[in-house]
Amino acid sequence: MIKINTGILAVNGLLTMTLVGQQGVLAQENAKGTAPNFIVIFADDMGYGDIGVFGHPTIRTPNLDRMAMQGQKWTNFYCAAPVSTPSRAALLTGRLPVRTGMSSEKRRVLFPDSKGGLPQSENTIASLLKEHGYRTAAVGKWHLGHLSQYLPTNHGFESYFGIPYSNDMDKIENTDYLTLIENERYQAYNVPLIRNEKILERPADQRIITRLYTEEIISKILEYKNEPFFLYMAHSFPHIPLFRSADFKGKSLAGIYGDVIEELDWSVGQILETLEKEGLAKNTLVVFTSDNGPWLTFNTHGGSAGLLSGGKGGTFEGGMRVPAIFWWPGKIKSGVIMEMGMTLDLLPTFCKLANVTVPNDRIYDGYDISPVMFGTGPDPRDVVFYYRDVDIFAVRKGAYKAHFFTQSEYGPDARKEHNPPLLFDLNVDPSEKHNIADKHPEVIEAIKKIMNQHRATLKPVENQLEK
Amino acid sequence: MIKINTGILAVNGLLTMTLVGQQGVLAQENAKGTAPNFIVIFADDMGYGDIGVFGHPTIRTPNLDRMAMQGQKWTNFYCAAPVSTPSRAALLTGRLPVRTGMSSEKRRVLFPDSKGGLPQSENTIASLLKEHGYRTAAVGKWHLGHLSQYLPTNHGFESYFGIPYSNDMDKIENTDYLTLIENERYQAYNVPLIRNEKILERPADQRIITRLYTEEIISKILEYKNEPFFLYMAHSFPHIPLFRSADFKGKSLAGIYGDVIEELDWSVGQILETLEKEGLAKNTLVVFTSDNGPWLTFNTHGGSAGLLSGGKGGTFEGGMRVPAIFWWPGKIKSGVIMEMGMTLDLLPTFCKLANVTVPNDRIYDGYDISPVMFGTGPDPRDVVFYYRDVDIFAVRKGAYKAHFFTQSEYGPDARKEHNPPLLFDLNVDPSEKHNIADKHPEVIEAIKKIMNQHRATLKPVENQLEK
C-alpha cells in the first residue's frame, strides 16, 4: 500500500509524495498528470426517458443536454441489476452481484436492519485506483452496507459523505406518502447523514441533500485538483421521497419529480463548470448514469423509461437500460454511441485508462470499452445478462434479447417461464412489442449456449442481503 | 396580383422586377433581403420519438440533432389532425380542417378517386407570401387534391414536383406488403410523379424519391437565393410502403424504418449545408415537423411516439404531438421550447415575419408564435383542439387535457364517450396514464366553456373528402 503525504500541497502540478513499494512509479506518473481523473455521477431510479436529450418533453436539463452534445450519449447502456444494492455493487466491483453475494430474491436490497454488505475481499474502482496514487472520495448514497466495515472508507475511498442507504428507509411516521411530501416532512424518514463513519445528522435534511452533495464533490475536486482522482457521486434522488431545495421548488413544468431532476441537472452543471474553470476538463472523464430504471409504482413521483417497456425492479429494457452520458472534452469524439455498455465496464475501462492492471485472481464481468469511447475499435461487449436477483431472466446477444422469465416489477404475481423464450430485436423494436421467437430458433439456441457457459462460471457465495 | 419577371436574373442581391399594384413596395423590400426565407420540411407519419434528440436509441439522425442543438427543439408542438389530408390543409391555410371542408369521418383523407381538394378560395402560406414578392415552390407529397384546380400550382406555388397523395395508394398488386418491400416492388404502387400539373413518371420510383425531392429543393434554393422564398418540402416517407436509395439500404441499426429516417436526416443535412454555403442561413427560418404521429399498425415499419401514448389516427398525444425543430442561426436562441405551438401557427408567424398582413375576411386558428421563438413574449397559444375528423375528441388548455371521446386509431370499435371526460396533466404526466378528472372539476368546466365558444365559430362547409 502507498502512503501519500497529503500535507504537502502540489506545486506546478507536481505532487510531493512519500511513495512506498513497486506501485510507486505508477503513482508518481499518475500524479504528474499522465493519468486521467474519473467522476461517476450516479442518479438513483432515474429513467431512460427523464432527460431532455433522451426525450423528456417537460423536464429541463440544459446541463445534461450540453454534456451529451459535447460528449457522448450512450443509448444502449445498462446497469447490472434492476434494483439499487446489486446495481451499485456491480458498478464499483466490475462483477455481477451473483458473484459478490450482493443479490437476493428474498431481500432485494439492503435495509437498515441488514448485517451484510460488500465483502472486504472485493476490489472496487476506488481501491484499485487508490493503490496507484489516485485520490478518492465517495459522496451520496452508498447502499452497500452501513456497518463500519462495509462503508466507503473501508472500500478504497478516502472519505465519505452521504446517506448510507435509500432515502425512504427508517420511516418513522405513519402519514401517507403524498401528505408527507406536501408538507416536506423529511423528518418522517430518519435516515442518517454520515461523514466517513460517523453520523453527522439524523434525520438528514433531504431538502438540501443534493446541494450538500454538490458542495462536497466540488470541494473534493478543488482539494485534489493537482493529483489524479476518482470521485463517486451517487445522488439520493430521484428515488422517493422527493425533496428539493427552495431554489428548485416549483421550478419545473413537470412537478416535483421535474424539480428534483432539474436540481440534479444543476448539480451536474456545477461539476462540469468547476472542471472547466480549474482547467481539468481535458483530463477528466465524467460518466453520468442511473442505478436502474424509473420506479413506476410511484406514478408521477416516478420517472419515465421513455419508449422502453417496464421500469425499476424488472428485466424489460426500462428496468435496466439507463441514460448514460460520457464527457471528456477534446479526448472523446462527440456523438451518439449505440454500442452496448454497462456499469460493469467502468472498472476495467478506468483501470485501462489509468494504466492499472486489474488483478486476475477472480472473474470480472466488465470489459474495457475505451475502444468504443475513442472510436478505435469494436465493442468488446456483445452480451448483457439481465439478472433479477440471483436468476437470469433475460439475455441480450447483439440486437436480440431472449426473455426466459418475466415477472411484474413489484406485483404479487410469480415469475412466468417462457419456453420458447420471448425474443425481441431491440434495434428494430426497442419497446419489446413484437415477439419474433418463432422466426429465430437459432438465435435462441445461441443465447441458451451463452447462458449455460456463463452459468458454469458461477460459484456459491455468501448471501449478504439476507444476513 | 404581382407579376415578377423571372427572366432577368438577380445582380448583387437586387432583383429587377415588374411590379404591379400597391403590394409592389413590399415586394421590392422583400426582394432586397429584409424579408426572411422560410422552408418547411414536413415528414409523413414520423413519430414523436423517431429522432435521436427526441429519444430514439437506434435511429441515427446527426443532422436533425445538430439542427435542434443549434436551433430550437419544440417539445409541445402539434399538428392539427391525426391524419394526412386535414393535417396538411391546416398547415398551409392556418385554419382548422373543419373550416375548409378538408376533414371527414367517412373518408378520413383524399384518395385517388376523390374529386375534392383544398378550395381555391382558401389562402395558403404560399399564396399570401407570393403576393408579396416571395418565390415559392412545393416539393413532395401534396394530398390536398390531385385534380388540376387543387394542385400546388393553383395554390400559390410557382412549381410543384412530387407524388400528389400517399405513397401507398394506387396499389395494383395483391402480394402482401412485407413481400413487396422485401423485393422493393415500388411498381406495386402505381403512384404518379408530377411536375407542376403533368405526370412525369408512373409509377414513381419510390426507392429514389427522397433523393429526387432533395435535389429539387436544393435547385430551388439556388434558383431563388437572391429573392425571398418559401419552400414547402413534404416528404412521402416514413409513410409506408418504405423504400430508400441504395446508399441507405441496411445503413441503420433500426431496420428499414431506420434507413428511411436516416435518408430523411441526410436530406435535412443537405438543405442546411446548402443554406450555409450560400450564406442564406441567417436569413432563413427552417421548420422541421411531421404531419401526424407514427402508424403503429405497421409494427416495426411504423415509428415510435416515444413516451407518448397512441399514434397516427387517434387523439392521444402520440397521434398529434409531433417532433418539431426550428432553425435560424443567429436569429433565434438555441434551446428547448416547452411552450405550445401548432402547424396552424406557421401561417400567421411567417406572415408576421414577412410583414404580410393576413386578410381578415375569415377565421384563422393559428397564432403568431414569433414571440416564443425570439423569447420576447408569452405564448399566445394556450389551447389545442384535438379533432378526429369533424369532431372534437379532446381539448388541451395549459397543462390540462380533457378527452371527451376516445377511440382506437384504426380499430373496429366505436367512439367511447367519457362523462366526465378523462383529464390528464400533460406536463407532469405526458404519457396520459393518470386520470385526475375527479380532482379538477373546475378545469373540466373551463375546458367545456372554451370548447363551446370555439364551436360557436364553426359554420357548415362543403365536405371535400366525400366528393
Side-chain angles (χ1 to χ4, degrees), chain A residues 340-357:
Chain A
M340 279 184 260
M342 289 189 79
T343 53
L344 284 167
D345 302 328
L346 298 181
L347 183 144
T349 303
F350 291 0
C351 284
K352 171 74 177 184
L353 294 169
N355 204 18
V356 168
T357 306

Side-chain angles (χ1 to χ4, degrees), chain A residues 62-234:
Chain A
N63 294 294
L64 286 162
D65 290 358
R66 80 117 161 164
M67 186 181 172
M69 284 302 120
Q70 295 175 344
Q72 297 175 339
K73 177 171 89 161
W74 286 61
T75 62
N76 279 282
F77 197 85
Y78 293 88
C79 58
V83 289
S84 175
T85 296
S87 172
R88 287 157 202 273
L91 184 149
L92 284 173
T93 63
R95 283 154 55 79
L96 283 164
V98 74
R99 300 193 199 281
T100 60
M102 295 299 280
S103 55
S104 150
E105 195 184 342
K106 272 193 208 155
R107 305 201 90 184
R108 303 187 71 185
V109 298
L110 290 166
F111 289 89
D113 64 352
S114 297
K115 301 279 180 289
L118 186 66
Q120 286 193 305
S121 55
E122 293 297 327
N123 299 316
T124 66
I125 300 175
S127 66
L128 292 173
L129 294 180
K130 190 181 170 206
E131 281 177 29
H132 289 73
Y134 272 70
R135 305 301 305 269
T136 60
V139 177
K141 178 174 178 176
W142 181 240
H143 217 187
L144 297 175
H146 47 276
L147 300 186
S148 175
Q149 67 268 32
Y150 302 121
L151 283 172
T153 40
N154 288 305
H155 271 301
F157 292 101
E158 293 178 61
S159 66
Y160 173 58
F161 175 79
I163 296 173
Y165 36 71
S166 296
N167 57 329
D168 64 339
M169 293 177 172
D170 297 322
K171 188 160 181 270
I172 55 173
E173 295 182 16
N174 275 329
T175 318
D176 74 282
Y177 169 74
L178 288 176
T179 305
L180 287 174
I181 295 299
E182 204 169 302
N183 295 296
E184 301 199 302
R185 279 296 296 173
Y186 71 86
Q187 299 91 340
Y189 303 90
N190 194 35
V191 290
L193 177 62
I194 287 180
R195 159 96 47 211
N196 299 328
E197 299 172 27
K198 282 187 186 151
I199 294 179
L200 280 181
E201 184 179 67
R202 186 167 197 164
D205 185 349
Q206 296 196 40
R207 297 171 305 178
I208 55 167
I209 205 72
T210 296
R211 191 154 61 72
L212 294 182
Y213 289 173
T214 306
E215 286 167 6
E216 176 75 8
I217 202 92
I218 285 172
S219 79
K220 290 297 168 187
I221 294 171
L222 298 176
E223 184 183 343
Y224 296 161
K225 65 182 182 183
N226 296 310
E227 302 166 73
F229 58 75
F230 165 59
L231 305 179
Y232 175 63
M233 167 69 148

Side-chain angles (χ1 to χ4, degrees), chain A residues 411-458:
Chain A
D413 58 317
R415 66 178 65 177
K416 188 176 169 189
E417 187 170 359
H418 302 278
N419 192 4
L422 309 177
L423 188 72
F424 300 104
D425 178 337
L426 294 179
N427 283 341
V428 171
D429 176 27
S431 305
E432 297 173 280
K433 284 181 186 167
H434 310 293
N435 181 15
I436 50 172
D438 57 339
K439 285 186 194 119
H440 295 288
E442 81 291 354
V443 170
I444 292 171
E445 283 316 302
I447 287 178
K448 278 184 180 167
K449 201 172 162 191
I450 288 166
M451 186 164 62
N452 290 333
Q453 284 168 341
H454 168 72
R455 280 210 183 105
T457 70
L458 300 176

Side-chain angles (χ1 to χ4, degrees), chain B residues 416-446:
Chain B
K416 188 177 170 189
E417 187 170 0
H418 301 278
N419 191 4
L422 308 176
L423 189 73
F424 300 104
D425 178 337
L426 294 179
N427 283 342
V428 171
D429 177 26
S431 305
E432 298 173 278
K433 284 183 188 168
H434 311 294
N435 181 15
I436 51 172
D438 57 338
K439 286 186 193 122
H440 295 287
E442 80 291 355
V443 170
I444 291 171
E445 284 316 304

